[in-house]
């Protein structure tokens, strides 16, 4: 679906799948003497505007790392504030539905608030045939947990006699990850100066390009996103070849 678009005055073919690690909300708030949850609120606003922009740039799949399996270690009021932001977003998500954006969630949702789980199922169902862009939200997501989930599924299939161990291929693994039918990541953007993957889509990022920026997520604007895309377009991807 990728096609030529103009980005910062250059004609480019945008990456198909971009992942974003929304980092730096806490520091953004701290710099202003505000509680951390204000940083997440600002981060959520930015998530909305970057999503619209990414669609305009021609990105087909945009995945955000919104809450990791490790983020439960944070103080309870911060976790609650982030869950409230998801809840609010899902109530207002009609904006995206009007924009013809398909929404998917990855991660273990079984431990989330039941009301949140119901809204997630509803928005996935309502938007399932939309095709302007796929927005993927990783909530209670961890790459290692995803691989455990996949291995458990495959082990059950072997035990049930549906497959032999020799039938386990990369394709079969991919079909049993949360991301089934979602292509691998082409580009991972991490703002806020940290240069690590933090358990984000470790299988799907195998050949991703990485783009790091010192800008904190709430301050990461359309121009920053465009610079990441343009930088990606100048890379020489070899996928292990020469
Ligand atoms: C990391 O920054 C951010 C998070 C763990 C939460 C991200 C969640 C949101 C922005 C809310 C998203 C809402 C919707 C609707 C998708 P940090 O807190 O680790 O920042 P720090 O490194 O500066 O402390």
């Amino acid at each position: 679906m990728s096609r030529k678009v103009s980005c910062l005055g250059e004609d480019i073919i945008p990456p198909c799948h971009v992942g974003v690690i929304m980092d730096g909300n806490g520091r953004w708030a701290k710099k202003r003497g505000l509680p951390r949850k204000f940083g997440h609120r600002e981060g959520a606003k930015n998530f909305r505007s970057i999503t619209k922009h990414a669609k305009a740039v021609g990105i087909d799949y945009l995945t955000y790392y919104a809450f990791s399996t490790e983020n439960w270690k944070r103080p309870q009021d911060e976790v609650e504030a982030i869950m409230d932001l998801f809840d609010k977003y899902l109530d207002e998500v009609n904006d995206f539905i009007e924009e013809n954006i398909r929404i998917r969630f990855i991660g273990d949702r079984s431990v989330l608030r039941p009301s949140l789980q119901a809204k997630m199922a509803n928005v996935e169902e309502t938007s399932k045939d939309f095709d302007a862009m796929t927005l993927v939200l990783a909530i209670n997501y961890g790459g290692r947990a995803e691989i455990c989930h996949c291995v458990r599924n495959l082990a059950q299939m072997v035990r049930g006699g549906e497959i032999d161990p020799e039938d386990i291929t990369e394709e079969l693994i991919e079909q049993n990850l949360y991301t089934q039918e979602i292509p691998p990541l082409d580009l991972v953007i991490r703002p806020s100066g940290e240069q690590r993957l933090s358990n984000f889509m470790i299988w799907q990022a195998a050949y991703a390009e990485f783009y790091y920026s010192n800008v904190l997520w709430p301050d990461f604007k359309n121009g920053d996103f465009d610079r990441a895309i343009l930088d990606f377009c100048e890379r020489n991807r070899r996928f292990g070849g020469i």
Side-chain angles (χ1 to χ4, degrees):
M1 208 162 106
S2 288
R3 62 205 174 280
K4 256 192 183 169
V5 294
S6 176
C7 180
L8 297 174
E10 306 272 343
D11 280 343
I12 57 149
I13 296 178
C16 172
H17 188 177
V18 177
V20 180
I21 301 178
M22 297 187 278
D23 199 9
N25 298 336
R27 276 164 286 168
W28 185 94
K30 195 172 171 209
K31 266 172 61 180
R32 288 161 180 78
L34 297 168
R36 294 175 57 84
K37 64 180 178 188
F38 285 84
H40 296 310
R41 195 178 69 183
E42 213 54 33
K45 277 192 210 156
N46 201 43
F47 148 83
R48 289 164 184 240
S49 72
I50 291 288
T51 300
K52 280 190 186 168
H53 182 64
K55 182 186 138 187
V57 173
I59 306 302
D60 294 329
Y61 292 82
L62 180 65
T63 299
Y64 288 95
Y65 203 8
F67 193 85
S68 76
T69 44
E70 290 72 34
N71 285 151
W72 298 106
K73 293 180 208 154
R74 294 182 176 221
Q76 202 188 339
D77 64 328
E78 182 174 341
V79 170
E80 288 294 310
I82 295 173
M83 295 298 151
D84 288 346
L85 286 168
F86 297 148
D87 232 312
K88 184 164 176 281
Y89 166 66
L90 289 173
D91 286 337
E92 294 167 9
V93 79
N94 287 331
D95 287 0
F96 280 161
I97 287 178
E98 279 161 26
E99 286 174 35
N100 202 21
I101 294 176
R102 177 165 72 132
I103 302 180
R104 291 259 314 256
F105 300 93
I106 56 171
D108 175 10
R109 61 183 86 177
S110 68
V111 296
L112 302 176
R113 298 173 183 165
S115 61
L116 204 51
Q117 291 183 47
K119 288 178 196 177
M120 289 161 83
N122 184 43
V123 74
E124 274 181 329
E125 177 57 28
T126 318
S127 69
K128 70 178 190 306
D129 296 323
F130 294 168
D131 60 3
M133 182 174 81
T134 299
L135 167 65
V136 183
L137 281 170
I139 300 182
N140 193 25
Y141 173 86
R144 290 178 179 174
E146 179 180 35
I147 290 171
C148 282
H149 161 89
C150 166
V151 171
R152 258 184 246 121
N153 279 355
L154 297 179
Q156 294 281 12
M157 287 160 80
V158 171
R159 186 161 70 180
E162 284 169 65
I163 58 167
D164 288 323
E166 298 71 34
D167 297 327
I168 299 176
T169 58
E170 292 189 14
E171 288 71 29
L172 191 63
I173 290 175
E174 275 162 10
Q175 286 160 20
N176 283 277
L177 294 172
Y178 296 133
T179 46
Q180 44 191 244
E181 291 160 31
I182 295 174
L185 282 163
D186 295 302
L187 169 65
V188 176
I189 299 175
R190 183 163 193 160
S192 96
E194 312 293 351
Q195 302 194 0
R196 53 179 173 262
L197 196 51
S198 301
N199 204 13
F200 178 57
M201 298 181 98
I202 49 181
W203 173 282
Q204 299 86 344
Y207 276 100
E209 299 291 324
F210 289 87
Y211 182 87
Y212 300 108
S213 155
N214 288 328
V215 177
L216 303 176
W217 170 248
D219 294 328
F220 192 90
K221 299 300 169 194
N222 294 354
D224 299 297
F225 187 83
D226 289 348
R227 272 185 284 283
I229 300 300
L230 212 51
D231 193 86
F232 168 86
C233 292
E234 285 160 6
R235 310 260 180 111
N236 176 17
R237 301 180 82 195
R238 291 191 293 278
F239 299 97
I242 51 173

